[in-house]
């Protein structure tokens, strides 16, 4: 009925399907048939086994009845033979059924055939052929390797195999004991009844089968058969492990998961192991010294050495760290590790390892690392227990939740422990950190963040002070130099010499950075590098040098470059939690430090997040950091750690009554907040030079090579613009010439302008008050000093005397130029450089020109002019690095005024002149470098020039060139047409190739070249004006320059007036 209808429906459906669809239905039907046949076979096999069991039970019952009625040995033997025959018949029936099924289903028998070939079903268990000690040693080594390979199931099976071995050994031992008792009993009966006719086999049965199954005599059988080993035999009957194997089996269960209670109880046997002595620390040192230690020596030792208590704890700590289950098990293992640390302290091992110094042998270093793993793990478990006591696994029978006081004490104890052993661990090699170091950074961050966030208001003054002291000692290892502690004896005596941040009038952002001491600067540098490390995967934030693009390391993995280089600033992305902490601390700082300007961090971050570079960085970061983190060495944890330290210092400053200590605390707070905030908000909020090293021209070019980006892509990422303007392309071309050099002589780029033009424009834009009589008197005294020094030059007869006198004359001319009453400072500076070029080169000649630099915002135009004069003198004495530093400083001041919107930092013609003069000095510096330095030193010199400095100098060069063109056109009666200026700037041919014949002889000067460069038309900083009185206003007779062998010439000006031309120095 129904079956027939179903078959008909299936047939109809098959006929209606397409040809390519029919086989799938047929296959499905065959699979259903195979499943049905297998189900029927299993059912038939079950019924057959049940029938055989029933027959065997009936036969055994009959045998029991016969025994109760009394039987002979012959009857017993007959019944046993019949029973064996019955069992054999049952087995044959089952095999026949299986053979019938396998013939009907050949595919289903494939697995059985494979098992038979491999011997896994027919051959049975392997024979026992080793003692308990051998089995445990082999099993321990095997499980160690399996755990290292993360084959946790295999490690568990190995442990269970050992347990089965123990049970089998116990069963065999019980059989031997039972046989021995039976034999003793038989001998006793035989002694009582000498004529007893019943044999031993007839009384106790034959043990031939057991003898066949026996594996022979094992070395520890006598020990197991001994009556004194009853406890050991009892343990073997239960399959219990020795302590070492128990610990390894528990770790296998932890790795596999699902049997946490059993795992915890197995690992708790760790304290049953023997504790090592101090001699263990140096074990193997003599052998490695004599025979030489191979690379695999420590590894072999770790795999083959039997566990002691300390080595077992080290193995457990290492296993939990590699499996990322430390937080899960911190509550359970914290008491165990804390107790073992106390044991290590009592045995002297902790003191011994902290006293290790110098180069250690591989074995001693291996032992040291084992102890350090225990220390780090113990502190991590304690911190985990403090931070989250109610989470994780714990099977300890101890008291309930920890009190707040106990939690704080445990946290302080952890910080003390880290402080004590940090010197053994912390080591930065090429920016790389070991796993030990990254673990310690994460641990410190977790502990300090918990104290600064959750328990800030619950800590007393002494507790906060203790935490800050520990944190200061720990962070000193992370910085380039030790951080000054907030409190030390007699610190109030030096309070007068320290900068008082609270009484200072800060004004608006950007704030000054001169208040920073060396240790505060080290904090800021560390914070800045860590912030960059969170964005640049090829840079380690733990580098001791400030981030620059030459520190990028080629590493495996992603090459994410997420910072935005803009002017002198480096800006990047930090995670949301870090931004929230910065915002919270700025609000707290305003409450504790009202005189400091308010930074609206939240609004500025909202604005930054709308910018194109930030949105692009978020997209790139989500794509890049999907698999591999950008911060490879826990730089993100380092940032959080420094912010937690800043939060603790800020809270302590509110409670501090000592003004000096409070002042230092606020300095440390600002040293953390200012660099990390500027990194986030993409705006200058302080005037520190931290961050400028990344803008070096050579480093910028190296970044281009590392990131494999085209120049257009680099410019787009660096400037945030889709397309560069025409003027920016010209500037970029010149910047590349600074990077790679040019075949054209550098001196050809020198901008030659008449000195009288510079002087007239300078005086026209001067805003100084009228020169007083005192100023004139000071200038006269300076002029008298110039006259004296030049007279000394004329009276010299030896080369050494001339060199010394020339330096004195140069210094005197610089002093004269610095006075307000000096009529022509440009001539003074030019003559100062000329006399300096005759001085002694190198050595200590630069001492005369070393002076402190003013703050960039407070630098006046006269001070900047004097700085350029000193730079010109230094390059004449072959000090290119020092000269380039001073020239870069003036260029930065000019750039600050050119781009500033502050009316107090106005841009006028004086600063334009200074920018042009700075470019001319840079030309002379590079000319000196090309003349006196070799190829390698020339290449290293390129890194001195920072990108923003080069851009400013190139802009100044364009300004000077246009000024010269306008001046010449005006002298010739021509006017520049509208658009000529832009056309000149866009010319591809270098404007330096244009001859200077348009400027008449009365406007240019050709200086005699130094002996080092006779083939170059080397000129000094500016053309020298006519020899006119150096002191303005009065017509009184003043000492005048009387250069011996100086040639004066007069030329007729183009306007017909007779005027004295610029002086041409022939020799001095």
């Amino acid at each position: 009925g129904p079956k027939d209808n179903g078959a008909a429906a299936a047939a109809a459906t098959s006929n209606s399907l397409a040809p390519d669809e029919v086989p799938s239905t047929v296959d499905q039907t065959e699979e259903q048939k195979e499943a049905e046949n297998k189900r029927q076979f299993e059912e038939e096999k079950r019924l057959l086994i049940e029938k055989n069991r029933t027959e065997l039970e009936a036969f055994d019952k009959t045998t029991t009845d016969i025994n109760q009625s009394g039987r002979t040995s012959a009857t017993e033997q007959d019944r046993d033979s019949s029973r064996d025959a019955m069992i054999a018949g049952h087995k044959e029936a089952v095999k026949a059924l299986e053979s019938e099924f396998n013939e009907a289903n050949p595919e289903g028998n494939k697995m059985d055939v494979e098992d038979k070939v491999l011997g896994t079903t027919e051959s049975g268990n392997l024979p026992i052929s080793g003692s308990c000690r051998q089995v445990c040693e082999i099993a321990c080594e095997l499980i160690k390797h399996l755990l290292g390979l993360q084959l946790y199931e295999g490690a568990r099976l190995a442990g269970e195999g050992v347990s089965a071995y123990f049970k089998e050994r116990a069963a065999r031992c019980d059989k031997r004991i039972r046989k021995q008792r039976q034999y003793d009993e038989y001998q006793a009966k035989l002694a009582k009844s000498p004529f007893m006719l019943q044999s031993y086999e007839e009384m106790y049965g034959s043990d031939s089968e057991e003898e066949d199954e026996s594996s022979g005599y094992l070395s520890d059988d006598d020990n197991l058969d001994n009556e004194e080993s009853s406890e050991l035999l009892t343990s073997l009957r239960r399959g219990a492990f020795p302590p070492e194997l128990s610990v390894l089996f528990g770790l296998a269960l932890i790795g596999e998961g699902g049997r946490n209670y059993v795992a915890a109880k197995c690992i708790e046997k760790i304290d049953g192991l023997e504790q090592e002595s101090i001699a263990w620390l140096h074990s193997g040192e003599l052998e490695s010294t004599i025979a030489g230690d191979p690379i695999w020596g420590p590894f072999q030792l770790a795999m083959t050495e039997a566990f002691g208590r300390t080595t077992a704890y080290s193995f457990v700590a290492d296993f939990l760290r590699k499996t990322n289950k430390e937080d899960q098990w911190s509550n359970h293992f914290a008491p165990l590790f804390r107790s073992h640390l106390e044991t290590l302290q009592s045995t002297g091992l902790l003191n011994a390892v902290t006293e290790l110094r110098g180069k250690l042998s591989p074995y001693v270093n291996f032992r040291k690392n084992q102890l350090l793993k225990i220390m780090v793990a113990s502190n991590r478990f304690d911190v985990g227990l403090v931070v989250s006591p109610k989470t994780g696994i714990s099977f300890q029978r101890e008291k309930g939740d920890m009190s707040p006081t106990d939690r704080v004490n445990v946290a302080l104890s952890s910080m003390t422990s880290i402080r004590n052993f940090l010197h053994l661990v912390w080591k930065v090699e090429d920016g790389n950190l070991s796993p030990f170091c990254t673990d310690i950074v994460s641990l410190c961050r977790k502990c300090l963040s918990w104290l600064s966030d959750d328990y800030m208001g619950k800590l007393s003054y002494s507790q906060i002070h203790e935490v800050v002291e520990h944190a200061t000692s720990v962070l000193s290892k992370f910085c380039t130099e030790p951080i000054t502690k907030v409190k030390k004896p007699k610190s109030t005596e030096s309070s007068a010499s320290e900068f008082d941040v609270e009484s200072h009038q800060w004004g608006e952002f950007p704030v000054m950075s001169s208040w920073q001491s060396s240790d505060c600067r080290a904090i800021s540098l560390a914070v800045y590098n860590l912030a960059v490390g969170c964005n640049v995967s090829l840079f380690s934030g733990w580098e001791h040098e400030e981030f620059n693009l030459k520190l990028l390391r080629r590493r495996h993995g992603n090459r994410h470059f997420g910072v935005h280089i803009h002017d002198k600033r480096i800006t990047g992305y930090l995670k949301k939690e870090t931004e929230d902490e910065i915002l919270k601390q700025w609000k707290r700082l305003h409450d504790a430090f009202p005189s400091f300007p308010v930074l609206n961090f939240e609004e500025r971050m909202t604005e930054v997040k709308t910018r194109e570079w930030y949105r692009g960085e978020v997209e790139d970061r989500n794509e890049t950091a999907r698999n591999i983190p950008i911060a490879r060495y826990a730089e993100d944890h380092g940032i959080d750690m420094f912010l937690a330290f800043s939060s603790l210092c800020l809270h302590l400053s509110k409670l501090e009554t000592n003004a000096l200590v409070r002042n230092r605390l606020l300095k440390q707070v600002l040293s953390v907040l200012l660099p990390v905030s500027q990194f986030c908000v993409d705006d200058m909020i302080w005037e520190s030079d931290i961050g400028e090293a990344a803008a070096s021209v050579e480093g910028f070019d190296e970044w281009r090579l590392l990131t494999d980006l085209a120049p257009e892509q680099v410019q787009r990422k660096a400037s945030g613009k889709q397309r560069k303007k025409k003027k920016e392309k010209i500037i970029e071309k010149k910047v590349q010439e600074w990077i790679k050099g040019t075949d054209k002589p550098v001196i050809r780029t020198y901008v030659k302008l008449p000195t009288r033009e510079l002087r007239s424009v300078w005086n026209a834009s001067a805003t100084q008050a009228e020169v007083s009589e005192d100023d004139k008197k000071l200038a006269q005294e300076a002029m008298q000093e110039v006259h004296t020094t030049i007279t000394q030059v004329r009276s010299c007869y030896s080369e050494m005397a001339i060199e010394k006198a020339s330096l004195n004359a140069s210094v005197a001319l610089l002093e004269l130029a610095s006075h307000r009453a000096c009529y022509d400072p440009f001539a003074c500076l030019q003559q100062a450089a000329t006399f300096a070029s005759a001085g002694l080169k190198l050595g200590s000649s630069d001492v005369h020109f070393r002076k402190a630099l003013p703050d960039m915002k407070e630098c006046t135009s006269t001070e900047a002019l004097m700085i350029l004069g000193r730079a010109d003198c230094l390059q004449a004495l072959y000090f290119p690095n020092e000269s380039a530093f001073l020239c870069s400083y003036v260029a930065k001041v000019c750039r600050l005024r050119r781009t500033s919107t502050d009316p107090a930092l106005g841009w006028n013609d004086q600063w334009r002149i200074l920018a042009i003069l700075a470019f001319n000095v840079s030309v002379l510096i590079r000319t000196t470098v090309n003349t006196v330095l070799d190829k390698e030193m020339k290449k290293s010199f390129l890194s001195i020039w920072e990108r923003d400095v080069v851009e400013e100098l190139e802009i100044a060069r364009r300004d000077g060139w246009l000024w010269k063109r306008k001046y010449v056109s005006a002298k010739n009666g021509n006017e520049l047409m509208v658009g000529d200026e832009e056309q000149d700037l866009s010319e591809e041919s270098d404007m330096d190739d244009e001859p200077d014949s348009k400027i008449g002889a009365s406007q240019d000067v050709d200086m005699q070249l130094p002996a080092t460069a006779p083939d170059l038309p080397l000129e000094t900083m500016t053309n020298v004006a006519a020899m006119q009185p150096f002191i303005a206003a009065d017509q009184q007779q003043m000492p005048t320059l009387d250069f011996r062998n100086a040639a004066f010439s007069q030329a007729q000006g183009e306007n017909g007036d007779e005027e004295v031309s610029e002086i041409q120095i022939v020799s001095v």
Side-chain angles (χ1 to χ4, degrees):
K3 292 184 179 180
D4 295 337
N5 293 337
T13 305
S14 301
N15 294 332
S16 63
L17 291 173
D20 56 344
E21 295 177 340
V22 174
S24 62
T25 306
V26 174
D27 293 341
Q28 185 176 4
T29 305
E30 291 179 354
E31 291 178 358
Q32 292 176 353
K33 289 181 179 179
E34 290 179 0
E36 181 65 22
N37 292 336
K38 187 174 182 180
R39 187 187 64 78
Q40 292 179 359
F41 164 73
E42 295 292 343
E43 181 66 19
E44 292 177 1
K45 183 178 180 180
R46 185 186 66 80
L47 294 175
L48 179 59
I49 293 175
E50 186 68 24
K51 176 184 175 183
N52 293 339
R53 182 182 297 108
T54 303
E55 292 179 357
L56 188 60
E57 289 176 354
F59 183 86
D60 291 340
K61 184 179 180 183
T62 303
T63 302
T64 303
D65 295 339
I66 293 174
N67 292 336
Q68 290 178 356
S69 61
R71 65 170 186 170
T72 64
S73 58
T75 305
E76 183 180 358
Q77 292 179 0
D78 292 340
R79 297 296 296 180
D80 291 341
S81 300
S82 300
R83 191 177 189 279
D84 293 339
M86 180 181 293
I87 294 175
H90 292 168
K91 289 182 179 181
E92 290 296 331
V94 173
K95 287 183 178 181
L97 181 62
E98 291 177 349
S99 299
E100 181 181 355
F101 174 76
N102 293 334
E103 291 176 359
N105 300 276
E107 293 296 331
N109 192 32
K110 184 183 296 184
M111 186 64 66
D112 295 338
V113 172
E114 291 178 356
D115 291 341
K116 187 174 182 179
V117 171
L118 295 174
T120 55
T121 57
E122 297 295 332
S123 60
N125 297 328
L126 293 175
I128 295 177
S129 59
S131 64
C132 293
R133 179 182 294 276
Q134 291 174 332
V135 169
C136 289
E137 290 177 355
I138 295 173
C140 288
E141 292 186 26
L142 176 61
I143 294 177
K144 287 179 183 178
H145 285 288
L146 291 173
L147 293 177
L149 296 173
Q150 299 182 4
L151 301 175
Y152 306 123
E153 183 179 2
R156 175 183 59 81
L157 291 175
E160 291 177 351
V162 174
S163 179
Y165 165 84
F166 287 158
K167 293 178 181 179
E168 181 66 19
R169 287 296 306 274
R172 298 194 176 197
C173 183
D174 290 339
K175 289 181 181 179
R176 288 195 303 272
I177 295 174
R178 185 176 68 254
K179 291 297 181 182
Q180 184 64 37
R181 290 177 180 174
Q182 291 177 352
Y183 180 76
D184 294 341
E185 182 181 353
Y186 178 77
Q187 291 295 330
K189 291 182 178 179
L190 187 61
K192 293 180 181 180
S193 304
F195 302 103
M196 186 174 61
L197 300 178
Q198 190 177 10
S199 65
Y200 177 84
E201 289 78 7
E202 293 176 350
M203 183 176 296
Y204 296 105
S206 175
D207 55 353
S208 59
E209 294 183 2
E210 295 179 359
E211 290 178 356
D212 293 340
E213 295 176 359
S214 177
S215 59
Y217 177 78
L218 298 177
S219 60
D220 57 350
D221 281 342
D222 290 340
N223 296 329
L224 295 179
D225 294 342
N226 192 349
E227 295 181 358
E228 297 179 356
S229 304
S230 58
E231 294 183 2
L232 175 60
L233 192 59
T234 303
S235 177
L236 291 178
R237 291 191 187 101
R238 295 187 290 108
F241 296 119
E244 179 179 7
L245 200 54
S246 176
V247 172
L248 292 173
F249 184 72
L251 294 179
L253 296 180
I254 289 178
E256 190 177 20
R259 299 170 67 181
N260 292 331
Y261 179 79
V262 178
K265 293 305 175 184
C266 287
I267 297 178
E268 284 179 4
K269 294 184 179 180
I270 192 171
D271 289 331
L273 294 168
E274 183 181 0
Q275 175 57 45
E276 297 87 343
S277 61
I278 296 182
W280 164 83
L281 186 61
H282 298 277
S283 61
E285 185 175 11
L286 181 60
E287 292 81 354
S288 63
T289 304
I290 297 175
D293 181 54
I295 298 176
W296 47 268
F299 173 76
Q300 183 185 24
L301 180 66
M303 292 294 105
T304 59
E305 182 186 30
F307 271 171
R309 192 183 305 177
T310 299
T311 53
Y313 270 103
S314 173
F315 193 92
V316 171
D318 196 38
F319 175 83
L320 293 176
R321 186 186 67 83
K322 292 180 179 178
T323 56
N324 295 322
K325 294 191 177 184
E326 293 169 311
D327 295 336
Q328 181 183 3
W329 286 89
S330 60
N331 290 357
H332 180 79
F333 285 114
L336 294 176
F337 274 79
R338 195 182 312 126
S339 174
H340 186 64
L341 273 185
E342 296 175 357
T343 303
L344 293 177
Q345 185 69 38
S346 62
T347 57
L349 273 174
L350 281 186
N351 295 332
V353 74
T354 54
E355 294 173 358
L356 292 176
R357 295 292 187 275
K359 186 177 181 180
L360 306 176
S361 67
Y363 283 101
V364 176
N365 191 61
F366 175 70
R367 301 296 190 196
K368 182 195 76 172
N369 289 337
Q370 285 182 317
L371 289 171
L372 290 176
K373 288 178 182 179
I374 297 174
M375 296 182 206
V376 174
S378 177
N379 286 281
R380 184 183 293 107
F381 293 146
D382 285 342
V383 173
L385 184 63
V386 167
V387 174
S388 53
K390 296 183 179 180
T391 60
I393 299 172
S394 178
F395 301 102
Q396 296 287 345
R397 298 179 180 177
E398 291 189 353
K399 52 187 178 182
D401 296 340
M402 299 175 63
S403 64
T405 303
D406 293 338
R407 296 174 69 183
V408 172
N409 291 335
V410 171
L412 293 177
S413 176
S414 297
M415 290 299 299
T416 304
S417 179
I418 295 172
R419 176 182 177 182
N420 292 335
F421 68 78
L422 184 60
H423 70 279
L424 295 172
V425 180
W426 191 258
K427 187 177 183 181
V428 181
E429 295 181 350
D430 294 333
N432 300 330
L433 292 189
S434 65
F436 269 140
C437 297
T438 55
D439 289 347
I440 289 176
V441 170
S442 302
L443 181 59
C444 292
R445 187 270 309 176
K446 194 173 185 179
C447 186
L448 291 178
S449 298
W450 176 78
L451 288 171
S452 62
D453 292 341
D454 299 342
Y455 268 69
M456 180 71 71
K458 301 178 183 178
L459 298 177
S460 62
Y461 169 81
S462 60
Q463 289 176 326
I464 297 179
H465 194 282
E466 184 179 358
V467 173
V468 171
E469 183 178 358
H470 289 321
T472 301
S473 300
V474 172
L475 296 183
S476 296
K477 291 290 184 180
F478 304 151
C479 300
T480 55
E481 64 177 82
I483 304 174
T484 304
K485 294 184 179 180
V486 295
K487 204 171 205 178
K488 55 184 182 180
K490 300 182 181 179
S491 59
T492 56
E493 297 178 0
S494 59
S495 59
S497 61
E498 289 200 14
F499 183 89
D500 190 357
V501 295
E502 291 189 277
S503 62
H504 179 73
Q505 298 297 326
W506 289 96
E508 300 294 333
F509 291 111
V511 297
M512 59 185 293
S513 62
S514 58
W515 51 268
Q516 276 197 312
S517 57
S518 60
D519 59 328
C520 289
R521 178 180 172 83
I523 294 175
S524 299
L525 179 60
V527 172
Y528 165 75
N529 279 346
L530 289 171
V532 175
C534 293
N535 292 265
V536 181
S537 59
L538 300 182
F539 172 75
S540 170
W542 304 103
E543 292 275 6
H544 291 314
E545 297 182 45
E546 180 184 341
F547 167 68
N548 61 75
L549 301 170
K550 293 188 293 183
L551 290 177
L552 300 182
R553 315 284 183 186
R554 292 193 179 274
R555 297 187 175 97
H556 294 290
N558 64 64
R559 297 193 299 171
H560 186 78
F561 193 93
V563 294
H564 175 59
I565 302 179
H566 180 64
D567 290 337
K568 295 186 297 183
R569 297 190 303 275
I570 301 293
T571 312
Y573 172 93
L574 293 178
K575 59 184 180 181
K576 184 63 169 58
E577 295 79 5
T578 304
E579 293 178 1
D580 294 341
E581 179 62 25
I582 296 173
L583 174 62
K584 182 171 65 174
Q585 290 196 27
W586 273 110
K587 294 179 179 179
R588 292 173 53 198
L589 178 65
H590 180 60
D591 296 337
F593 191 7
S595 61
F596 196 79
V598 180
L599 178 67
N600 199 330
F601 185 78
E602 188 173 11
E603 289 185 5
R604 294 204 181 194
M605 284 305 303
T606 303
E607 180 185 356
V608 168
K609 291 178 181 179
T610 61
R611 297 178 183 174
E612 182 179 354
W613 71 263
Y614 188 93
R615 296 197 302 269
E617 164 60 16
V618 173
E619 295 177 0
D620 294 344
R621 177 177 289 267
N622 293 335
E623 183 68 23
T624 302
R626 183 174 301 172
N627 299 321
I628 302 176
I630 298 174
R632 302 187 179 207
Y633 300 110
E635 287 91 347
D636 50 347
H637 290 175
I639 285 283
D640 295 339
M641 177 177 59
F642 274 94
L643 286 173
F645 171 70
S646 171
S647 178
L648 290 168
C649 291
L650 186 58
H651 186 72
L652 183 59
S653 65
K654 295 181 180 180
L655 306 177
E656 185 58 58
T657 57
N658 187 299
L660 176 61
V661 175
R662 175 180 169 85
N663 188 50
R664 289 181 178 174
L665 288 169
L666 291 176
K667 283 183 180 180
Q668 291 175 349
V669 172
L670 294 177
S671 297
V672 174
L673 283 183
L674 288 175
V676 72
S677 300
Q678 179 168 295
F679 183 82
C680 292
V681 300
D682 193 16
D683 195 6
M684 185 170 290
I685 63 174
W686 70 327
E687 298 174 350
S688 174
D689 62 344
I690 294 177
E692 297 181 8
S696 66
V697 181
E698 186 179 7
F700 189 82
D701 188 54
E702 186 169 345
W703 170 47
R704 174 175 300 169
L705 296 176
L706 283 172
T707 52
D708 297 332
L709 295 177
E712 294 77 8
Q713 292 175 301
V714 173
Q715 182 66 18
R716 186 184 307 120
K717 194 171 186 71
S719 62
K721 297 180 179 179
Q722 297 295 329
R723 185 176 59 87
K724 294 186 295 184
K725 297 180 181 178
K726 186 182 298 183
K727 186 175 180 180
E728 291 176 344
K729 290 183 179 180
I730 299 173
I731 298 273
E732 177 67 19
K733 176 185 175 183
K734 299 305 296 183
V735 167
Q736 292 306 311
E737 290 183 2
W738 284 65
I739 297 173
K740 302 175 182 178
T742 177
D743 297 334
K744 302 175 183 178
V746 180
I747 195 63
R748 298 177 65 178
T749 62
Y750 190 89
V751 180
K752 291 179 283 188
L753 286 172
T755 307
R756 64 173 176 272
E757 177 73 8
L758 298 177
R759 185 175 62 247
S760 62
V761 175
W762 181 276
N763 294 332
S765 61
T767 57
Q768 296 179 354
E770 185 179 354
V771 179
S772 64
E773 293 297 328
D774 293 337
D775 294 333
K776 295 178 183 179
K777 185 176 180 181
L778 292 174
Q780 291 173 5
E781 294 175 357
M783 186 62 204
Q784 183 64 48
E785 181 64 23
V786 172
H787 178 71
T788 303
T789 55
I790 294 178
T791 303
Q792 293 174 354
V793 172
R794 294 165 56 192
S795 62
C796 293
Y797 293 96
S798 66
E799 182 179 359
M800 185 179 299
I802 291 177
E803 290 174 344
K804 183 177 181 180
S806 297
L807 286 179
N808 293 334
S810 177
V811 174
L813 284 166
L814 285 176
E815 180 64 23
L816 175 60
S818 65
H819 289 283
R820 295 174 57 192
C822 181
Y823 176 71
D824 196 344
F826 302 104
C828 293
L829 297 182
Q830 186 270 337
Q831 295 300 327
T834 302
F835 278 103
S837 64
L840 179 64
K841 303 298 189 292
L842 300 176
S844 59
S845 301
D846 61 328
V847 175
H848 303 282
F849 306 101
R850 290 182 178 271
K851 289 187 178 181
L853 295 177
D855 189 85
M856 286 189 180
K857 285 189 175 182
E858 300 174 359
C859 182
T860 63
S861 57
T862 303
E863 290 175 332
L865 186 61
M866 295 305 105
I867 293 171
L868 285 177
R870 299 204 303 274
D872 200 7
C873 293
L874 286 170
Q875 67 83 19
L877 293 169
Y878 297 170
F879 289 95
N881 292 333
E882 292 81 352
S883 180
F885 174 76
L886 296 179
C887 182
S888 299
Y889 173 83
V890 176
K892 292 177 182 179
V893 175
C894 293
R895 187 175 183 85
L896 174 64
R897 288 184 169 269
R898 190 191 293 269
T899 59
S900 178
T901 58
D902 188 357
L905 301 175
W907 175 261
N908 54 31
D909 290 336
Q910 284 189 347
W911 289 104
R912 182 174 286 105
I913 291 173
L914 288 169
I916 296 171
L917 296 182
F919 173 76
N920 284 346
V921 172
S922 70
V923 171
L924 298 178
I925 295 171
R926 289 187 288 160
T927 302
T928 301
V929 168
N930 292 334
T931 304
V932 302
L933 298 183
D934 57 21
K935 185 176 181 181
E936 293 298 327
M937 296 182 68
K938 290 177 185 178
K939 185 177 180 181
S940 63
F941 181 78
L942 294 174
S943 61
I944 292 180
W945 304 103
E946 299 177 3
R947 184 174 182 83
D948 57 340
V949 172
V950 175
E951 291 180 355
E952 174 61 29
L953 294 177
E954 284 298 325
I955 294 173
R957 172 180 175 273
R958 302 290 169 176
D959 290 345
W961 189 84
L962 290 175
W963 188 357
K964 186 177 75 171
R965 289 289 301 273
K966 291 178 181 179
Y967 176 78
V968 173
S969 299
K971 294 290 289 184
N972 296 334
N974 300 327
E975 294 183 1
L976 284 177
M977 301 299 292
V978 177
D980 288 350
E981 179 178 342
E982 190 66 30
Q983 180 181 359
D984 294 332
L985 287 175
S986 61
E987 290 178 354
E988 292 297 330
S989 60
D990 200 320
M991 295 174 291
D992 310 317
D993 298 336
E994 185 177 354
D996 295 317
S997 59
K998 297 182 180 180
I999 300 183
S1002 63
Q1003 300 139 19
D1004 282 336
V1005 123
D1006 292 329
M1007 304 299 299
Q1008 187 183 33
L1009 298 178
T1012 56
D1015 56 336
L1016 295 178
L1018 180 62
E1019 300 193 43
T1020 51
M1021 183 168 59
T1022 62
N1023 297 308
V1024 186
M1027 187 59 61
Q1028 299 181 4
F1030 280 77
I1031 306 300
D1034 286 348
Q1035 298 296 328
Q1036 56 183 333
Q1037 295 296 325
M1038 294 297 300
T1040 58
L1041 294 176
D1042 185 12
F1043 297 104
R1044 187 176 58 179
N1045 297 328
F1048 292 88
S1049 62
Q1050 293 184 352
Q1052 185 71 20
E1054 294 187 17
N1055 56 2
D1057 297 334
E1058 191 177 276
E1059 59 180 4
V1060 182
S1061 71
E1062 283 77 357
I1063 185 170
Q1064 181 179 15
I1065 304 298
V1066 178
S1067 64
V1068 178

